[in-house]
Amino acid sequence: MKHKIVLIPGDGIGPEIVGEAKKVLDQVCQKYGHEFEYEEVLLGGASIDVHGIPLTDDAIATAKSADAVLMGSIGGNTATSPWYQLEPSKRPEAGLLRIRKELNLFANLRPAYLYSQLKDACPLRADIIGDGFDMLIMRELTGGLYFGDRKTYEENGLATAMDTLVYNEAEIRRIAVKGFEIAKKRRNKVTSVDKANVLDSSRLWRKVVEEVAADYPDIELEHMLVDNCAMQLVRDPGQFDVILTENMFGDILSDEASMVTGSIGMLSSASLNETKFGLYEPSHGSAPDIAGQDKANPIATVLSAAMMLRYSLDLDKEADAVEQAVQKVLEQGYRTVDIMSDGCTCVGTKKMGDLLAEAIQ
Ligand code: NAD
């Protein structure tokens, strides 16, 4: 099949890790008889250096013309890079916020999967880890507390600040539908997380999620309060499949869930809109401290490419092949420096990419 993919190498280690992910995708195309047409777009510091702004209208139009976008990471050393002398609206991160908004990416997915080969990196006890865990946090990304009205003012002589948490039923419904659709591709369980014992917005959330659940009789739905979920993630992470939640709860829980996997270089992510379109990127940043040194772990980006195959291109078999290639290379004992442990073979970014591409079955 033919697909158009926009690549955003970005800054720091971005070009290195995107290059390795493309190597793996090229191998997928060869093995499975697909044709991917690529176009590159500048974002962040790389765009500032060429155009003076972190994202151009042309770049947005190109991204919109694709089936999916695969991104590295953007930004530089915030203390020393001249990009951070610019006014906030011209800095690298402004480009990232704008592209997410322009593409209407309201659903953020972050898997937290524990590889048996990396169990030592998990901070939880072996009896808690059990057979491992494989969950996905589905976070609403464009509503809630981070986008509501806010102000800081003085009342009765006291400095006072206010933020508002607003959701309407349409915003809740579209993310809930995404959550159930993705659970169908996984283990058919959704845990909807809210604070319905206190918040009106959570009571509406729960009501709409239940309405959506009626259309998915094969999917098990449970509701969980956010404080309990924060505990359960470290008490019994194996119980979760898809965790569906609003913006701020998802922000906090997804960091907690990724922490229990142990390694930042392994964590993929996806941001989706109402169509099949998505932007896929590793959860980590541009790691300027190791840029250009062939030290970056490309696996998070390769796994983001696997999510792209699965969720935007509907190529489930090919996505499985990429995920299995990661398993196989870890089983063979190859590690980049960030996940290195005794008895393993330390390899650079390029070699890891070669090994992953070779392991595609
Ligand atoms: P970071 O994630 O870039 O790095 C944190 C630490 O993890 C560093 O020691 C780094 O070397 C290491 N690391 C990260 N990814 C790695 C990988 N793939 N392989 C091996 N080691 C890896 O976070 P930071 O240093 O706080 O931020 C650096 C820049 O990245 C900043 O400009 C920040 O704004 C930006 N950033 C961008 C994104 C994004 O593009 N979505 C996300 C987070 C941070």
Side-chain angles (χ1 to χ4, degrees):
M1 275 180 85
K2 217 170 163 172
H3 294 285
K4 179 170 174 188
I5 296 168
V6 159
L7 298 177
I8 303 183
D11 307 316
I13 59 170
E16 297 168 68
I17 54 183
V18 168
E20 298 316 306
K22 181 171 175 295
K23 205 183 263 177
V24 173
L25 288 173
D26 286 346
Q27 186 68 9
V28 167
C29 284
Q30 208 184 335
K31 287 260 172 190
Y32 290 86
H34 301 305
E35 199 182 320
F36 294 166
E37 178 197 335
Y38 296 100
E39 195 165 349
E40 280 199 16
V41 153
L42 297 177
L43 176 66
S47 174
I48 295 172
D49 289 346
V50 176
H51 302 293
I53 51 172
L55 181 69
T56 63
D57 291 343
D58 278 354
I60 294 168
T62 306
K64 282 184 176 166
S65 73
D67 295 308
V69 176
L70 179 65
M71 193 175 110
S73 41
I74 57 110
N77 183 318
T78 49
T80 58
S81 165
W83 298 329
Y84 296 91
Q85 303 300 317
L86 299 166
E87 61 164 278
S89 68
K90 297 223 168 90
R91 291 180 193 170
E93 285 70 17
L96 188 57
L97 292 178
R98 180 158 179 232
I99 199 165
R100 286 182 178 150
K101 188 161 179 259
E102 293 280 350
L103 299 174
N104 194 23
L105 303 171
F106 65 86
N108 180 250
L109 279 69
R110 271 171 68 174
Y113 178 82
L114 186 69
Y115 287 89
S116 56
Q117 301 85 356
L118 302 180
K119 268 186 179 169
D120 288 350
C122 176
L124 301 179
R125 281 199 323 260
D127 62 312
I128 293 174
I129 300 171
D131 296 332
F133 50 84
D134 174 7
M135 71 183 105
L136 190 144
I137 311 245
M138 162 78 77
R139 163 190 172 193
E140 202 289 328
L141 204 57
T142 56
L145 201 59
Y146 298 170
F147 290 87
D149 287 342
R150 65 180 62 112
K151 62 178 177 180
T152 302
Y153 55 103
E154 202 175 287
E155 197 169 75
N156 302 327
L158 296 173
T160 307
M162 185 196 73
D163 298 280
T164 47
L165 199 178
V166 181
Y167 272 108
N168 66 43
E169 58 181 314
E171 290 170 316
I172 301 170
R173 185 163 285 110
R174 67 181 184 176
I175 184 90
V177 167
K178 279 275 178 214
F180 281 89
E181 285 294 324
I182 285 194
K184 269 203 315 202
K185 283 184 176 256
R186 293 176 48 95
R187 301 194 308 280
N188 294 314
K189 182 176 172 191
V190 170
T191 304
S192 174
V193 173
D194 60 37
K195 189 71 182 167
N197 53 342
V198 178
L199 300 176
D200 267 19
S201 55
S202 280
R203 285 190 273 272
L204 181 64
W205 180 278
R206 201 174 270 216
K207 177 173 173 280
V208 175
V209 168
E210 274 174 8
E211 285 166 14
V212 172
D215 294 333
Y216 296 88
D218 297 336
I219 298 200
E220 180 193 345
L221 168 67
E222 70 173 353
H223 299 285
M224 192 177 278
L225 296 175
V226 61
D227 38 353
N228 185 25
C229 185
M231 287 193 292
Q232 295 298 330
L233 279 173
V234 289
R235 204 188 134 263
D236 178 17
Q239 70 184 285
F240 295 111
D241 180 13
V242 174
I243 293 179
L244 170 68
T245 192
E246 61 93 58
N247 201 344
M248 183 182 63
F249 297 160
D251 188 8
I252 298 166
L253 295 175
S254 59
D255 267 15
E256 186 188 355
S258 58
M259 186 58 221
V260 295
T261 65
S263 174
I264 192 165
M266 304 289 296
L267 299 168
S268 54
S269 87
S271 300
L272 310 176
N273 67 17
E274 246 149 324
T275 68
K276 288 261 169 211
F277 181 90
L279 183 147
Y280 299 83
E281 57 179 320
S283 295
H284 57 73
S286 59
D289 53 331
I290 55 165
Q293 298 174 31
D294 196 40
K295 281 186 182 166
N297 185 349
I299 295 180
T301 315
V302 168
L303 291 171
S304 302
M307 290 178 87
M308 176 181 82
L309 294 171
R310 193 181 305 282
Y311 298 124
S312 283
L313 310 185
D314 267 331
L315 299 174
D316 287 17
K317 196 165 41 77
E318 291 80 346
D320 289 344
V322 174
E323 288 165 0
Q324 281 157 12
V326 171
Q327 289 272 11
K328 189 170 166 195
V329 169
L330 291 176
E331 264 158 33
Q332 290 166 341
Y334 293 106
R335 304 280 189 274
T336 43
V337 66
D338 57 311
I339 51 171
M340 185 59 191
S341 60
D342 287 350
C344 292
T345 309
C346 191
V347 295
T349 312
K350 287 200 182 88
K351 178 71 182 169
M352 181 54 91
D354 290 343
L355 290 163
L356 293 168
E358 276 163 28
I360 296 289
Q361 297 289 330

